[in-house]
Each structure stands twice: as structure tokens, then as C-alpha cells.
Amino acid sequence: MNELLTHNRVILCHFDTYSTALLFARFGNTILAPTPLPESASPAQAPLETGLQHAPEAVLPAIIQQYALETGALKLVAPFQAWVETGQESIRIHLAQFTTFEAPRATFEPHGAIFKPISELRGSPAAELNLLRQAFNLIMGGA
């Protein structure tokens, strides 16, 4: 895994503008790529100083490389911003939306991911459900 991704997590979604179906990638029990948050993580404010390790323009290429996606297959949803604190470090949560016509199910299947609507993600950790709600509201609000 790319070192940069230890300081960041990404929610991956696909929005079909025709049917208005919004799907989220779920990796086992988490909606965060490439790994779930540590159990010690709790919501936090953005740190006063953030370096390149949290820069969205660096995280997107790292996720594209991690999953061997084509350049341009993802775009960041810039208004989304969430942070958690683990007691040892700050982790930034990003939201990325696929630009592909359909959700890339076959690409993510080998990684144990499936695409589901928010209504089928009940049972996810409470912190992740809050992140999903924020992402859902942002995308459905026209971001």
C-alpha cells in the first residue's frame, strides 16, 4: 500500500445521472479505501497545518495506482472534507466519484469490494454511516 494512503482514506462512489442511483464501494465491513479506520479514530477538526501527506491532489493518483484504474476514472468531490484523530495522527477522509458510465464492479471484485446504495449499508460502523450521510447529501445536492 502506498505510504500516502496510511494518512488518508477514500470513500469511492458512483453516481448515475440518468437514474440518479448513487452507489458506494464497500470493502468487507468498511466503505473506506484502502483500509478501515483504526478503532481509536474519532471525528476531529482539520489540523492547523496539513502537509503533502493529506493533499487531495496527491491522494487521487495514489488511489488510482492502488486499484490499477485508468487516469481520469475518478474525480475528487472537493467540497467533502472530513478528519479523524487516532491519538497518534490525523487521517483525512476524501470522497472520490467514478467518471465511468457504470460502477466498475469487475475491477473491484478482486479487492473484495461490492457497490451498494446507502440503504443497503446499514450495519456499518456509526462513524462510517455519518461519513456516508455527508457524502450522500453532498452528491445528491449537486456537488
Side-chain angles (χ1 to χ4, degrees), residues 31-73:
I31 52 116
L32 298 170
T35 59
L37 292 171
E39 287 189 27
S40 63
S42 60
Q45 296 294 319
L48 295 176
E49 291 186 31
T50 61
L52 185 58
Q53 69 187 21
H54 293 117
E57 52 278 352
V59 171
L60 189 61
I63 281 289
I64 288 171
Q65 180 184 10
Q66 175 78 21
Y67 296 106
L69 302 171
E70 291 184 29
T71 302

Side-chain angles (χ1 to χ4, degrees), residues 63-129:
I63 281 289
I64 288 171
Q65 180 184 10
Q66 175 78 21
Y67 296 106
L69 302 171
E70 291 184 29
T71 302
L74 278 176
K75 67 177 183 177
L76 284 175
V77 181
F80 185 88
Q81 187 174 157
W83 292 83
V84 296
E85 181 64 45
T86 67
Q88 299 169 353
E89 70 172 326
S90 295
I91 297 174
R92 186 172 184 176
I93 315 293
H94 306 265
L95 176 61
Q97 181 178 342
F98 287 98
T99 59
T100 54
F101 181 69
E102 293 182 343
R105 297 175 198 276
T107 301
F108 281 85
E109 194 174 280
H111 301 283
I114 54 175
F115 285 83
K116 293 187 167 232
I118 195 169
S119 61
E120 292 182 25
L121 294 172
R122 292 184 186 107
S124 295
E128 290 189 14
L129 288 173

